[in-house]
Structure formats: C-alpha cells, structure tokens
Amino acid sequence: MADDILIRQIAGIVTSGTPIVLAALGETLAERAGVINLGVDGTLLLSAVSAFITALAVQKGLSGHMDAGLVTLIAALAGSLVAMLVGVIESLVVTISSIELKQSQVAIGFVLTLLGRDLAIFLGTPYRSQGGIPVLFLPIPLLKDIPLLGPILFQHDLFTYLSLITLIVMWFWIFRTKPGLTLRSVGERPATAFARGANVNRIRYIYTAIGGALIGLGGAAYTLSVNSTWDENAVGGNGWIALAIVIFGGWQPLRVVIGVYLVAALRVLVTSVQSSFDPALVGLMNAAPWLLMIITLFLVSGSYLERLLKILPRSVHPALRALLRSKPPAALGTPFEQG
C-alpha cells in the first residue's frame, strides 16, 4: 500500500513538472544558441490562456458533430498549436530586437514578460476558474504494465509524453549530431562557427523560435492538462523558476529536467504536509523552491563552490564539481555581426 502511494506521488511529480520541463528545455535550446529569452514567464501565461480559450472555442464549435473523444483531441491540438505560435512570436521579437535592432535581450525579455502577464490577465478574466476540456490520458499498452516504471512513465497524458520525448531528442541532437555541434559552436564561439560556414544569425533565429514553441507548449500543458482551467496564479512565476533551472542544469537537458522534478517534488511534499502545519510555516515552505534556486545560483558560481569544497572531504570534490559545474555558453546574450 505504501509502495503504491509512493509510486503515485512520483507519477504526480512527473505530471506536475511537465510544463516547466517544456519551458526549461525551450530556454535551454535558445541559450545554447546564444540568445537569452527572459520573457519566459509572460510567454507561459499568454500561451496558457490562449490555449485555453482556443480549446474551449473549438470544443463548443464541434460538440454534437462528432465523437466527444475526437472533439477533445482536436480541441487540445488546436489550443496547443495556438500556444506554440504565441511562443514563436514572442521569441522572434527577442531575436529581431537583438539581431536586427541591436537592443538588449535582457531588457526586451523583461518588457515581454510584463506585457504577456498583463495581456494574459486581461484576456483570461472572463474564463478564470472555468472548467476546461477533459484531460486525455493515454496509457501506453504493454509498457504501462511494467512494474514500477509503468505507472511512473507510461500512464500519462500527451503533454507528459512530449516532454520526455523532447528531452531525449534534444540531448541526442545537441551532443550526438553535427548540427548539434554547430549549435554549441554558435553559442560558444560564433566567429569560429561563421568562419566554418555557419549562418550564425539564422541558426539563432531557428533555435530560439523552436525554444519559444516549446515554452508555448508548456503554457498549454498548464491549462489543458495539469490545471485543466485558467488561473494566472497557478502559472505565473513558473517561468522564472524555469530560467533558474536552466542555470542549475548547466545548460544540459538531462540536468535541467532533474532540476525541474526536484522542484516539483518539493511542491508535492509541501502540499502533502500542509494540513499538519501552521499556515505561516506552510507559506514559508512554499518558498522552498525559490530558496533552492537562490542557493544553487550561489553554489554554481566558481568562488562560492570553491569555498564550499574547502570545508568538505576531498573524496566528494569530483562528484560535487560534476553536479554543480555550470558554465554558460560563452557568447550568451552577445549579438554577432556577420561579415
């Protein structure tokens, strides 16, 4: 019985972490190409409400004309596509402002976050806490019956599967393919990549747009899967966590996803024990993910890591260095003049 409860909790962590996994992987891809997109939080909010409104409209228009399950699937796909389009548009604003207009990526990202948040709240006010479309759970035959792994990985909805597939594909693409090597070169040494024939700015456009689409898909996962309704308070702030986790993960997809699930686990823990503690203490516990990110950001900086290592046994130094090593792409946030 206890084992079943633990398995369900782990499966819940995987599900609840899905939107941030997609957003963090999208930002990782953009930053690997040398572009900082600080508009993640605003994009998550705007894409989430856009997906919700679109899905409800499609469901209303098709209901009664075809099978209810098919209507739900079409509505979810339509909402997801609109959310991804929102993410692509936002990312293109960042890249155009940086590459063509020579403006600060950081400043543009902050402005887009505020714009996306306010626009999402304005559009979503009539839909706040309104019921959405049913969540499409798609257990995978045979795999869902594997002991332990089946319930944790193969009894989820489409968004969760997409997040896991994205992790695998992105890791393989970045570290095991020639285009992935070019991507890393563009983020580290764009002049060298250009000298070898790479169109640096075009590559940045492409990968930042793909990253924006993933962020938008993460927003759709909130309102069409995890929450199944529109509530800006349940979405807002998670974009900043995604940005911090990209640093925590050292711009490596696998470490980024592990960081997301760690934060999701902390949230599940707080939810499970909140009835047993004073509300003030629960409020402090809700801040645990943020505190974890702040502590991690200190630790991944070279000086603080070296100070920590001085007071720890030498035997743990290699493992700790591997865990906390976090070196950003050398050309991150730096415009490149081709030719």
Side-chain angles (χ1 to χ4, degrees), residues 297-309 321 326:
L297 292 179
F298 274 108
L299 290 178
V300 297
S301 66
S303 59
Y304 287 99
L305 177 57
E306 293 304 320
R307 293 178 189 177
L308 176 63
L309 292 175
R321 287 182 188 277
S326 183

Side-chain angles (χ1 to χ4, degrees), residues 134-291:
V135 179
L136 287 174
F137 287 102
L138 302 170
I140 300 177
L142 300 180
L143 295 179
K144 68 182 179 63
D145 298 322
I146 298 175
L148 187 62
L149 289 180
I152 293 175
L153 297 178
F154 304 116
Q155 295 184 22
H156 292 285
D157 63 286
L158 187 59
F159 290 100
T160 303
Y161 295 138
L162 286 174
S163 70
L164 297 174
I165 292 171
T166 300
L167 165 62
I168 297 169
V169 172
M170 186 179 295
W171 178 87
F172 183 82
W173 182 267
I174 292 175
F175 297 109
R176 292 293 185 271
T177 69
K178 185 176 179 180
L181 178 61
T182 301
L183 166 64
R184 284 184 283 151
S185 179
V186 166
E188 294 286 349
R189 300 178 180 274
T192 302
F194 181 72
R196 293 179 176 178
N199 188 322
V200 172
N201 287 336
R202 183 173 65 187
I203 289 173
R204 287 182 169 179
Y205 271 116
I206 291 172
Y207 282 106
T208 306
I210 296 173
L214 289 173
I215 296 170
L217 189 61
Y222 271 118
T223 49
L224 303 183
S225 174
V226 175
N227 299 329
S228 243
T229 187
W230 163 246
D231 180 0
E232 63 271 19
N233 295 318
V235 181
N238 288 297
W240 299 112
I241 290 180
L243 284 164
I245 290 176
V246 171
I247 302 173
F248 168 83
W251 292 268
Q252 298 184 39
L254 183 58
R255 281 177 54 182
V256 166
V257 172
I258 291 173
V260 172
Y261 289 149
L262 179 58
V263 170
L266 286 173
R267 288 178 164 178
V268 169
L269 177 63
V270 171
T271 301
S272 63
V273 303
Q274 63 183 359
S275 60
S276 305
F277 292 92
D278 182 84
L281 181 58
V282 172
L284 180 61
M285 293 171 67
N286 280 323
W290 299 97
L291 294 174

